[in-house]
Amino acid sequence: MHRSPYRPALVLVVGVLGILIATAFNTTTRAAEVRPPGRSGDLVDVVREMEGQRESLQERLGDLREEVARLEREAAEDAGMTRSFTQEFDRVRLNAGMAEVAGPGVEVVLGDGADVPKGADPNDYLIHDTDIAGVVNALFVGGAEAVAVNGERIIATTPIRCAGTTILVNATRLGNPYTIVAIGDPETLEQAVREDSHGSLLFDVYAKQYGLHVSLSRVTETSVPAFKGSMRPVYATPDDGGV
Amino acid sequence: MLVLALALALGITLGLLTNVSVPLGMLTYLGVAVLAAIDACFGGVKASLEGTFDDKVFISGFLTSTLMAAFIVFVGDRIGVRELYLAAVVAFGMRIFENLGSVRRLMFARWGWE
């Protein structure tokens, strides 16, 4: 006589097995929710996606700023504000780098050296953040009124720093080659860059020694875009004491 | 067999409905526990078919092998040989297939297909 396999203990353990399997299933499902597949570990993708989002937001920010400027002008007209007040407003915006500007100036192009000889330090053949910062500083020394690097406007709080193989300006990653556009007196600007200690090294020494592609050209008409990022001072508040 | 299948379905439903889960670090223990339970179930079915099923032997066997497996995983974690849990997985895996083979043959005998 065969005994039935439906022993209570056996049935109990089978039930426990079911609960264990469900628990394992729940746990792995929850783990997958915590780290969605396709994004886990692939931080590069996350960064790219965020940068894309930021770009579209920056475009929207630029549109909205133009809208604000237009409305301010209209409001000023409606309220019968003096002409000098609106002019003052536009001047402040221009000085702050919040408006696109055009005029004569110079275009400086800095490009990495093409070939690195064997045994040489590849760092010598690259354009670094300090090179860009040096040229930008020299341009301001020469009286530049607006400067942009690869379309990134340099404003009062703009950092220029190295980030791996790219250079960050205003938290935007820029790649080789770097085009620095400055508006000001072309002659003075060129002189300022060529006479600057860093600029002269770059143009007269490094360019020949390491084959860096550097050039400087005066232009009669160029434009510098407005600052695309956002400024939200947290610690700085207007101090009315001096007014 | 139907009762066992129902018990399994009931257990899974119960677990899914209550949505119980364990911390991620315990997942290895849970996996080994699942294997131990599967092993115990096949062993139990085999013993039943052979007519040697004993509640005490069955339950104690299930508990001790689960505890031993958990201990192996724990020791592996402690001494930095995380793969030690594979020892338990291999042992249970082999026994599951052995028992499955025996159950199959016993079934044939029971239904008179030999």
Side-chain angles (χ1 to χ4, degrees), chain A residues 2-28 30-31, chain B residues 1 4 7-8 11-12 14-16 19-22 24 27 30 33-34 37-38 41 44-45 48-49 53 55 58 110:
Chain A
H2 291 288
R3 297 188 63 167
S4 157
Y6 320 141
R7 301 298 301 255
L10 183 53
V11 173
L12 181 77
V13 170
V14 170
V16 169
L17 170 64
I19 293 174
L20 288 175
I21 290 173
T23 309
F25 178 78
N26 289 338
T27 307
T28 44
R30 207 196 49 193
Chain B
M1 275 305 128
L4 293 182
L8 182 67
I12 291 177
L14 200 68
L16 288 180
N19 201 15
V20 284
S21 64
V22 295
L24 277 183
L27 202 55
L30 190 61
V34 167
I38 294 175
C41 291
V45 172
S48 300
L49 291 171
F53 190 90
D55 281 353
F58 177 69
R110 192 180 182 200

Side-chain angles (χ1 to χ4, degrees), chain B:
Chain B
M1 275 305 128
L2 193 66
V3 175
L4 293 182
L6 278 176
L8 182 67
L10 186 74
I12 291 177
T13 316
L14 200 68
L16 288 180
L17 284 181
T18 53
N19 201 15
V20 284
S21 64
V22 295
L24 277 183
M26 305 296 281
L27 202 55
T28 317
Y29 290 90
L30 190 61
V32 171
V34 167
L35 276 177
I38 294 175
D39 170 56
C41 291
F42 279 112
V45 172
K46 181 190 164 201
S48 300
L49 291 171
E50 283 174 341
T52 56
F53 190 90
D54 182 88
D55 281 353
K56 262 185 292 189
V57 172
F58 177 69
I59 293 291
S60 65
F62 170 61
L63 290 180
T64 50
S65 53
T66 308
L67 287 176
M68 188 61 205
F71 180 69
I72 287 173
V73 177
F74 176 76
V75 168
D77 269 353
R78 287 294 128 149
I79 65 172
V81 188
R82 299 219 137 182
E83 290 72 22
L84 206 59
Y85 77 91
L86 286 173
V89 171
V90 169
F92 283 132
M94 280 177 65
R95 273 183 41 173
I96 287 169
F97 283 108
E98 262 171 40
N99 284 335
L100 182 67
S102 307
V103 168
R104 195 164 35 85
R105 274 191 288 277
L106 286 165
M107 287 290 209
F108 287 157
R110 192 180 182 200
W111 293 329
W113 285 355
E114 269 180 328

Side-chain angles (χ1 to χ4, degrees), chain A residues 61-128:
Chain A
L61 188 64
D63 291 347
L64 288 172
R65 281 205 179 120
E66 275 172 29
E67 174 93 2
V68 167
R70 192 178 58 76
L71 288 171
E72 273 169 3
R73 247 172 254 132
E74 276 178 21
E77 279 167 23
D78 287 351
M81 283 192 203
T82 58
R83 206 178 177 77
S84 66
F85 186 83
T86 45
Q87 278 175 350
E88 173 75 7
F89 222 98
D90 283 343
R91 202 175 58 77
V92 167
R93 214 195 312 272
L94 188 138
N95 286 350
M98 296 297 174
E100 184 177 356
V101 289
V106 293
E107 274 182 24
V108 182
V109 179
L110 304 179
D112 295 344
D115 300 310
V116 182
K118 269 201 179 134
D121 183 358
N123 276 323
D124 291 341
Y125 295 79
L126 297 174
I127 295 295
H128 292 278

